Every structure is written in structure tokens, then in C-alpha cells.
């Protein structure tokens, strides 16, 4: 087998939901991927009433895009060099 004959399977990375096309509500799986934490971490945070605000719709959990954006902006650290 020649190396050029082997094609790697490329899995596209999910796009970050930019504001122009962002959905109103995101699933817990989407949020975990966006902020880089585990699904179990999000679930633990909900159980202990900490972390991101969320919405319950029946048994489904959704996170509002505006809440996620504010949560990330509130935790943004900028270093000012003088």
C-alpha cells in the first residue's frame, strides 16, 4: 500500500454558533462542546444549582444562547500591560 492511496477520514469540527446564525436554545451536548466541558459536569452543575442558567421543557434541558454568551463574557479575563 502506498501512503498516497490511503485516505484519512476527516471528521469536520462542529461550527461555533455565531450570533448571526445561532439558535435560540442549545442542547446540553452542544453547550458542553462549545465550552469544552463534559456532559456530566453540566449535569452536576444543574443538580447543585450552580453554573449556567437553563430552561426545562418537559424532560429536555436547553441553554439559551444569550445566557451562554453572557456567562462566557462575564468570565473573560483580559490582561492590561502598561
Amino acid at each position: 500500500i502506498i501512503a498516497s492511496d490511503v485516505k484519512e477520514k476527516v471528521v469536520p469540527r462542529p461550527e461555533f454558533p455565531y450570533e448571526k446564525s445561532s439558535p435560540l436554545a442549545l442542547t446540553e451536548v452542544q453547550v458542553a462542546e462549545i465550552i469544552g466541558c463534559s456532559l456530566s459536569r453540566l449535569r452536576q452543575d444543574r443538580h447543585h444549582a450552580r453554573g449556567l442558567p437553563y430552561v426545562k421543557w418537559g424532560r429536555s434541558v436547553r441553554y439559551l444562547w444569550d445566557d451562554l454568551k453572557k456567562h462566557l463574557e462575564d468570565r473573560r479575563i483580559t490582561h492590561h500591560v502598561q
Side-chain angles (χ1 to χ4, degrees):
I1 297 176
I2 300 172
S4 63
D5 294 338
V6 178
K7 293 183 180 179
E8 288 186 41
K9 183 178 178 182
V10 178
V11 179
R13 186 176 182 162
E15 293 182 31
F16 188 82
Y18 295 100
E19 274 191 71
K20 290 181 182 177
S21 61
S22 65
L24 176 61
L26 302 163
T27 66
E28 60 183 355
V29 173
Q30 291 171 314
V31 171
E33 190 164 317
I34 289 169
I35 65 175
C37 77
S38 67
L39 191 54
S40 62
R41 173 62 190 263
L42 282 178
R43 290 174 177 170
Q44 287 175 17
D45 284 350
R46 284 198 311 269
H47 178 74
H48 294 290
R50 63 179 184 226
L52 289 164
Y54 61 95
V55 175
K56 288 284 287 184
W57 187 270
R59 294 184 341 182
S60 297
V61 173
R62 295 293 182 265
Y63 293 89
L64 299 179
W65 169 248
D66 289 339
D67 290 341
L68 174 61
K69 182 180 168 192
K70 183 175 182 334
H71 179 80
L72 294 174
E73 288 172 349
D74 290 348
R75 283 149 186 79
R76 184 175 180 191
I77 299 171
T78 58
H79 299 281
H80 299 285
V81 179
Q82 293 183 4

